[in-house]
Amino acid sequence: MSRKSKKIVSLALTFSLLAALPTGAYVSADALESTAEYSFAEEAADAAADSMAEDAAVLPAADSLPADVESVAEAAEGPAFYPWLNSNILKIVTPDTAADLRDDFYLGVNRDWLSTAEPIPGYPYASSFVTLTDEINKKLLGLMTDKSLTSHDAQLLQSAYELFLDWDTRNELGADPLLPHVEAIEAISSLDELTEYLVSDEGIYYGDGFWSIGLGYDSADSSRYDLEINSLSLSLGDSAEYEQMTPNGQMTKQAHDAMVLWMLKKTGHSEEEAQALIDECYAFEEKLAPSVMTVAERTSPDAIEKSINPVTFEDLKEICTSYPLPAILEAANCADWELINLNEPAWLEKMNELYTEENLEGIKAYILTTYVGSYMSIVDEESFREYQRISRERTGASESLTDEMNAYNYAGAVLNTSLSKVFVEKYMTPEIREDIRSIIGEVIDTYRVMLGEEDWLSEETRAKAVEKLDHITVNAAYPDKWEDTESIEFAGKDDGGNLFELTEAISRYSIGLFDSKKNTTVDPEIWNFGVTDVNAYYNPADNSINIIAGILGSPFYSENMSVEEKLGGIGMVIGHEISHAFDTGGAQFDLNGNFANWWAPEDYSAFTERAQKLINYYNSIVPMEGISYSGDMVQGEAIADMGGIKCMLRIAKDIEGFDYEKFFRSFADVWKSAYTPEIEQMLIAQDTHPLDYLRVNVTCMQFPEFQETFGIQEGDGMYLAPEDRICVW
């Protein structure tokens, strides 16, 4: 659940510690990223971490909120409304805040915690997720200095950790290692020279952000890898910000510009020169942005189909009559990929149009500002402290993580497979994995029953849904097989190494690993992700459910939990993820993970009608004064939440003496969180998951078991008439 993990809080912002890797060409492939579309975590909030909100808008007073939730029909057609206090905002709840379970279940369960919640130092929020993440990180932090560990992976991690903390060497080097690349970019005086640079080894390694490729699964045959060509990253994150900048966009720009300005000055530019380069970069991006998908477009159900555009190398030559992408791919040893997918054709066509002498300075400014900014966290200590200051301001955090924790995060980011292996060896057992597999098996069996009870599905679609369910790949806790990390080598502190050399070593390994996948089939035994994050997800590209080791701690799971706590925690997580196999996105992939819509048209139409009712409801909610909410953006995750709870309640029917109150309270406890106003606004703007107080309250009120357990009556804030309920499944 990466929103609540270290990614958003410690690899903070526009230029994360991960960005210490050269990012011009290759994914950071110590752990090659999967093409998963759905994560129980807030993957979209990693992008939201690259957007900043202004100070909190004024919320209505708690006593001004309506006591009753309006009917869905009235809410959707009438004015926007505040069904509950947005109690996820730090300090908004006090010990005196009225909290009745029947009016606001989330607040009623969590008021005492919310009224005293304080972020762990270095984090801009408090939550069950961050508490578990912090516990795991502290365990792994201890491994960074445990010299009794002698494995190659442990030694790699410890060397990276020590190099990060080697302030003497970092201060001695400063930004000097960047200067040759800065000078090479600035020396470009013509389009021909720019092309020569981009196809050179230096351009392949350091032409930062101007082209991007990744490893994916072929949409027609998910057993084979393909080469994914992606659009470049924009400084403001969301291309919509270039048309009409939001408060989020304004603060994104403020943080981005502060980091880039600092690093340009660090590499010898005057403030006036630095600002001119930043302005040139934005001027170029403004021309390109209309051809790059917005965040809203990327989260739309039709985004999957739009992103599938198989091309040949010859096709790319026809598209790129000016922009030298084919030559770049040849120089990067990628021209002989048999399967290539172009995620955004409009972006590449626009890039080709803009690759002119007229735009030379803008292109150079983009490459230069992106390059120097990405190294802010690994140069000297003065720069790192400024990076931390901007990050704190960006997120509203009062403190930064300790240097030791930042060093651990860095080592784990660039050596994720090594970190995962060491973590599993130290803390996981076969018994835990088997318990999780057992729970997943029970959930799958229950979904089979649930699918049989959905009277709005035709027999044709139902049969295909059950077939897909029966073919789900179960990835529980950790794999038995890992990518080989033995070839990773770099000099440690005692041997005169430094962070710059480390990043180049990781890049070389990454490129070698990437090349090894070319024109090959997927090895299903190797997971394309690490296992230490507090996270779980469903991947439609291989029809797999992934409940990884990091999430297997309280409040989600422990071997000694009651059945109610397990179902309210890890059970609901599993049910949520499996639901994604049958939503508007999952419907576009078959039992093998191939792109193929297996729904009968009339069933899919019925599904979208049911989903629209949910969208209308969420569209009517105002989480913060003057800020609208997007039901379209959160529909998939909201549907999955409801499907997960429905599955758990179906399991509970067969458990004698099941304590429903304990179950619902456990569910609400899992989602307790309190964010700085800055982070909360980021989530509203870009997170595909409902805010935590909404995902508890809106989900629970759909079910008669909840209404009956807590004696909810018409007129109570948690009441929703049966005809107005929006549960899709």
Side-chain angles (χ1 to χ4, degrees), residues 157-381:
L157 289 165
Q158 291 180 4
S159 291
Y161 175 83
E162 291 169 355
L163 288 175
F164 187 93
L165 293 175
D166 183 8
W167 294 113
D168 289 341
T169 299
R170 290 178 64 172
N171 289 336
E172 181 181 348
L173 291 172
D176 287 352
L178 305 182
L179 297 181
H181 313 300
V182 171
E183 292 166 0
I185 296 167
E186 293 189 315
I188 295 169
S189 60
S190 68
L191 202 63
D192 287 342
E193 289 181 6
L194 175 60
T195 297
E196 186 178 345
Y197 169 79
L198 290 175
V199 300
S200 68
D201 287 345
E202 186 169 28
I204 297 299
Y205 275 88
Y206 303 108
D208 197 65
F210 203 58
W211 65 291
S212 173
I213 61 174
L215 189 68
Y217 299 147
D218 178 40
S219 61
D221 181 2
S222 61
S223 69
R224 299 187 67 189
Y225 287 117
D226 74 0
L227 176 72
E228 296 286 328
I229 299 177
N230 308 302
S231 61
L232 55 70
S233 299
L234 296 170
S235 301
L236 300 183
D238 187 354
S239 59
E241 296 287 355
Y242 293 81
E243 181 177 358
Q244 184 175 2
M245 193 175 295
T246 66
N248 255 358
Q250 292 166 5
M251 294 301 290
T252 300
K253 188 175 187 304
Q254 179 180 330
H256 169 271
D257 292 2
M259 291 182 177
V260 172
L261 188 67
W262 175 276
M263 287 303 295
L264 286 171
K265 291 166 69 174
K266 203 74 178 177
T267 52
H269 299 81
S270 69
E271 185 156 351
E272 293 74 18
E273 291 170 334
Q275 189 59 57
L277 284 166
I278 292 170
D279 292 342
E280 283 273 12
C281 175
Y282 280 120
F284 173 71
E285 290 184 340
E286 285 171 1
K287 296 176 183 178
L288 183 63
S291 300
V292 176
M293 291 178 70
T294 65
V295 168
E297 289 170 336
R298 292 179 192 278
T299 57
S300 173
D302 65 359
I304 298 171
E305 184 173 8
K306 289 180 178 178
S307 71
I308 297 175
N309 305 284
V311 294
T312 65
F313 190 68
E314 293 304 313
D315 292 331
L316 293 176
K317 287 183 177 179
E318 291 184 12
I319 297 171
C320 299
T321 55
S322 299
Y323 176 49
L325 180 62
I328 294 171
L329 292 176
E330 285 182 313
N333 194 33
C334 293
D336 55 345
W337 270 84
E338 296 170 0
L339 300 170
I340 304 173
N341 185 62
L342 177 58
N343 276 286
E344 295 188 53
W347 156 77
L348 186 57
E349 291 167 5
K350 191 65 174 180
M351 284 288 294
N352 188 63
E353 177 187 326
L354 293 175
Y355 198 77
T356 64
E357 293 284 355
E358 179 186 356
N359 292 306
L360 177 63
E361 294 307 316
I363 294 171
K364 287 173 54 182
Y366 176 90
I367 296 172
L368 181 58
T369 57
T370 306
Y371 170 67
V372 298
S374 67
Y375 279 84
M376 187 173 184
S377 63
I378 68 164
V379 289
D380 55 78
E381 184 173 6

Side-chain angles (χ1 to χ4, degrees), residues 12 17 34 60 138 140 188 198 219 268 281 318 343 415 421 423 434 438 448 472 474 553-554 559 641 652 694 698 728:
L17 293 177
S34 76
K138 285 177 178 176
L140 290 171
I188 295 169
L198 290 175
S219 61
C281 175
E318 291 184 12
N343 276 286
L415 295 162
K421 290 164 71 174
F423 176 71
E434 287 309 308
S438 175
R448 193 177 297 108
I472 283 181
V474 174
S554 179
E559 294 175 282
D641 283 340
L694 294 175
V698 177
V728 173

